[in-house]
Amino acid sequence: MDKYMNEAIEEARCGILAGEGGPFGSVVVKDGEIVGRGHNQVVKLNDPTCHGEMQAIRDACKTLGTFDLAGCELYTTGEPCHMCLTACMWANLDRVYYGCTIKDNEEVGFRDNEMDKIFGGRDKLGDFLQETERGECLKLFNVYKNLKNKTNY
């Protein structure tokens, strides 16, 4: 398994087991080193913008002392929603690798597919978004799906 996606999966696992939010974990990588980490903390922080990608971008910017993440890549357990996808683009990330698809996100109770129907446009991104390690991320999604007392955000 890709070591960076494995780190994103572990980040997500910690968050869901702590009851902080959905099964979404992310890491930002620059020059082979993880410079940012984050997982969904929507429930913990009562903030709908605290998705894993957003948290990892914030952490990487703090670590690197910049708002420009050119030269960095993001690994995330689920295909980014439009908020996160746009944040990735604003941050100048070079590429985004994701595990589970928008459809997979929907199957564990998230509304990404609704937003995708409204905003669309992923077909215009070329190779900016690349699927990888879907099978491993689906295992994580199944752990989340079987948890009791969760809130889907």
Side-chain angles (χ1 to χ4, degrees), residues 32 76 116 122 125 150:
T76 187
D116 212 47
R122 291 172 189 270
L125 297 175
K150 63 184 176 285

Side-chain angles (χ1 to χ4, degrees), residues 25-28 35-39 51-61 69 74-75:
S26 302
V27 295
V28 175
V35 295
R37 296 174 177 275
H39 60 266
H51 292 193
E53 298 94 335
M54 302 294 279
Q55 300 296 74
I57 288 169
R58 289 174 181 136
D59 189 42
C61 288
L69 297 180
L74 183 130
Y75 290 76

Side-chain angles (χ1 to χ4, degrees), residues 1-151:
M1 176 192 314
D2 182 284
K3 69 180 180 179
Y4 303 122
M5 186 59 81
N6 188 55
E7 290 291 327
I9 289 169
E10 289 310 309
E11 185 71 33
R13 187 182 319 280
C14 289
I16 63 172
L17 295 178
E20 295 180 349
F24 305 103
S26 302
V27 295
V28 175
V29 177
K30 181 173 179 120
D31 299 327
E33 298 293 324
I34 295 174
V35 295
R37 296 174 177 275
H39 60 266
N40 186 298
Q41 294 184 305
V42 168
V43 173
K44 177 184 179 184
L45 300 175
N46 290 314
D47 182 341
T49 68
C50 290
H51 292 193
E53 298 94 335
M54 302 294 279
Q55 300 296 74
I57 288 169
R58 289 174 181 136
D59 189 42
C61 288
K62 183 177 178 184
T63 298
L64 297 173
T66 182
F67 57 84
D68 184 355
L69 297 180
C72 296
E73 298 173 326
L74 183 130
Y75 290 76
T76 187
T77 56
E79 188 173 357
C81 70
H82 277 276
M83 175 183 69
C84 293
L85 180 55
T86 304
C88 290
M89 295 167 76
W90 276 111
N92 291 321
L93 289 165
D94 291 353
R95 182 160 292 132
V96 173
Y97 296 96
Y98 65 91
C100 292
T101 65
I102 291 288
K103 181 85 172 128
D104 297 326
N105 296 349
E106 182 178 44
E107 290 178 15
V108 292
F110 292 85
R111 301 180 299 149
D112 302 52
N113 200 29
E114 276 180 46
M115 304 301 171
D116 212 47
K117 288 177 185 172
I118 294 168
F119 298 108
R122 291 172 189 270
D123 57 321
K124 297 178 179 124
L125 297 175
D127 65 353
F128 182 71
L129 282 174
Q130 292 190 6
E131 183 183 307
T132 185
E133 302 292 348
R134 181 171 177 246
E136 292 301 315
C137 291
L138 281 171
K139 290 177 188 175
L140 170 74
F141 274 37
N142 284 329
V143 169
Y144 178 77
K145 194 175 190 176
N146 293 318
L147 287 176
K148 297 189 183 338
N149 302 320
K150 63 184 176 285
T151 303

